[in-house]
Each structure stands twice: as structure tokens, then as C-alpha cells.
Amino acid sequence: MGSKVNKANIIFNVLFSRCMVVSLTIIRYRKLFIPFALLAMAIHRLPLLMQKGCSFYKLLGSGKNGTFDLEPDWQQWGLLACWDGRDDFDAFYKQSFVASWWKILGAESWTLLCTPLQSHGSWDDKEPFGKPETNDIHGPVAVLTRATIRFSRLKNFWANVDTVANMMTSAPGYVNSFGIGEAPVYRQATFSVWESLDHVKNFAYKSPEHAEVIKKTRSEGWYSEELFARFKPIASFGTINGKDPLNGLLNK
């Protein structure tokens, strides 16, 4: 019996190692090294472009204190990337120039690894997570919403951000979130983690205020491009501001 279980675990690990893995790493730099954080946005592009097993990546800035805010947090930055398999991410994290840069110049970092469950829309005319459509979803769920905002709709967008952000952080089942973006003001994203899919749906569709904002994005044409994706968190390690952002959620 024991040998059968071991074989099943080996088969699972082999299959899992070759499935797409999405990583989100949040890195906080020491204040003294903020210039290096800005420099990284330019010089990390080439090694990531050449990184084996990396099919998509985005270097990201962060809002104040890691939130969705117009004021940037010059110490906090991020990398979202798609990997052909867990082995490819592990090789990057252990041996790459980018990871070495983080270890030398960063004060601390946190990484979440996920597998795509659902994805709709595009990012720079690409579908980075493919077209997964998994409906049998259990346990914690991570959600990415990102958009390129039309310049003519920036005022409308930012006028509604605080209301939605405040509602989200107080919603049942909310665990944590990060306001991230490729460019200041108009290319923005939110990555949030929830205890379950039901909690995500309750916030997204049963809150009148949030439903009204969603309606405005459609009727007023806020976005020139958008992407919505859900993921299954599979691993989390590191800290931000001295804490595990998921509060041990994946270990429960």
C-alpha cells in the first residue's frame, strides 16, 4: 500500500513540475537602495527575456504601502511571471541574476506561486495564462484584475478606486491584496487573495456599490484593455513588513 502511495506522489510531483506556474514576488528595498530599485525596472528586462522557462513577465511598481494608490511606494516593487513548470521557477529563484539582485539589495521579499484556474481578456495583446476554465474550485483563491485605462477616463477611474479598495479590505473572506502597476496612473492591477471562491463572488457581485462601479466601467468605457484571472495558490514564502501576507493561510 505504501509503495502505491509513494508512486502516486511521484507521478503527481512530475506532472505538477511541468504545469504552468505563475509567480508573484513582492520585494521591498532598503531606503538607501531605492535608486537600484528604479534601475532594476530597466536592466532586469533582458535577463528575464532570456530566462529559460519564462513565457511572460511584468516588472511592476507599487502604490503607497503596497496599496492601490496614486502615490508610489518607492521601496516596494514586484515581478509577475509565468513559468513552464515549477522547476523553471526554482532554477530562476536559486540561480538568476534577478534573484541575486533581490537578495543583495532587498530588505525582504515574499513570493506566491499559483496555477491558473480561469482567465479572460488580454495583457499587451497576449493571453499569458492561456484559456483555463476550471469550475471545480475549492480552498483559497487568488484574483488578478488589471487594465489599461483610457486617458479620457482616468478621472472617473481614480474617483472610484478608494471606495472599492476600502470595501474589499473589510469584506468577509478577504486575506490580503497588493496594488501593482506597469506604469504610473494608467496601467494598473490589483492582486488579491481570498479564503474561498464564494467570498470572491459575494464581494464582486452581491455588493451594490461594487456592482455599480463594474457597471460604470462598461457603460463609460474606462478601459482600452483588461484582464481578469483566478488562481489556485500552491506555495507562499517570505515576508513583507515582517509578516506573512497570507497569515499562514496555505498551512491551515
Side-chain angles (χ1 to χ4, degrees):
M1 181 67 178
S3 62
K4 290 182 179 180
V5 172
N6 289 336
K7 287 180 180 179
N9 288 336
I10 291 171
I11 292 171
F12 174 81
N13 289 332
V14 169
L15 291 173
F16 173 71
S17 70
R18 299 318 304 166
C19 291
M20 177 187 282
V21 171
V22 177
S23 66
L24 174 67
T25 297
I26 303 296
I27 173 79
R28 283 196 68 82
Y29 286 83
R30 298 178 179 88
K31 283 187 177 181
L32 181 65
F33 294 148
I34 286 177
F36 290 96
L38 295 167
L39 183 62
M41 292 293 282
I43 68 173
H44 284 184
R45 297 177 186 276
L46 182 59
L48 284 167
L49 188 65
M50 299 175 65
Q51 182 69 41
K52 180 183 177 182
C54 182
S55 59
F56 180 87
Y57 74 88
K58 287 295 176 183
L59 293 160
L60 304 163
S62 177
K64 184 180 179 182
N65 297 320
T67 62
F68 206 76
D69 197 288
L70 271 171
E71 184 178 344
D73 187 332
W74 298 111
Q75 285 185 262
Q76 187 155 304
W77 302 78
L79 169 68
L80 185 142
C82 297
W83 306 92
D84 294 341
R86 175 67 186 265
D87 291 346
D88 295 305
F89 168 79
D90 287 343
F92 162 79
Y93 195 75
K94 293 174 182 177
Q95 304 169 3
S96 71
F97 168 78
V98 174
S100 297
W101 179 288
W102 291 340
K103 291 171 186 175
I104 294 170
L105 302 174
E108 57 179 345
S109 67
W110 170 75
T111 295
L112 178 66
L113 300 181
C114 308
T115 56
L117 296 171
Q118 299 172 341
S119 183
H120 305 281
S122 61
W123 197 334
D124 284 348
D125 296 322
K126 299 177 182 178
E127 295 178 321
F129 315 119
K131 294 183 178 180
E133 195 57 56
T134 304
N135 295 313
D136 188 20
I137 301 174
H138 303 283
V141 175
V143 178
L144 172 70
T145 57
R146 65 80 49 188
T148 300
I149 309 155
R150 300 182 192 276
F151 286 102
S152 61
R153 296 291 182 266
L154 284 172
K155 183 178 180 180
N156 306 50
F157 173 83
W158 286 103
N160 288 274
V161 164
D162 286 343
T163 299
V164 174
N166 291 335
M167 286 171 52
M168 180 172 67
T169 56
S170 60
Y174 167 86
V175 179
N176 215 318
S177 63
F178 295 91
I180 48 182
E182 305 159 72
V185 183
Y186 81 102
R187 303 193 77 181
Q188 299 293 312
T190 298
F191 193 97
S192 58
V193 179
W194 301 77
E195 293 178 6
S196 73
L197 180 59
D198 285 340
H199 287 112
V200 174
K201 290 181 176 179
N202 287 338
F203 168 70
Y205 306 121
K206 294 185 179 180
S207 164
E209 296 87 353
H210 189 252
E212 180 61 26
V213 172
I214 294 176
K215 183 179 178 181
K216 285 182 180 179
T217 66
R218 301 289 180 261
S219 62
E220 298 178 10
W222 288 4
Y223 308 138
S224 61
E225 184 183 54
E226 59 183 313
L227 174 70
F228 175 82
R230 291 171 177 163
F231 307 89
K232 176 181 178 59
I234 56 174
S236 169
F237 45 91
T239 62
I240 288 294
N241 294 317
K243 299 178 181 179
D244 171 7
L246 298 194
N247 299 314
L249 179 69
L250 301 186
N251 299 322
K252 294 180 180 179

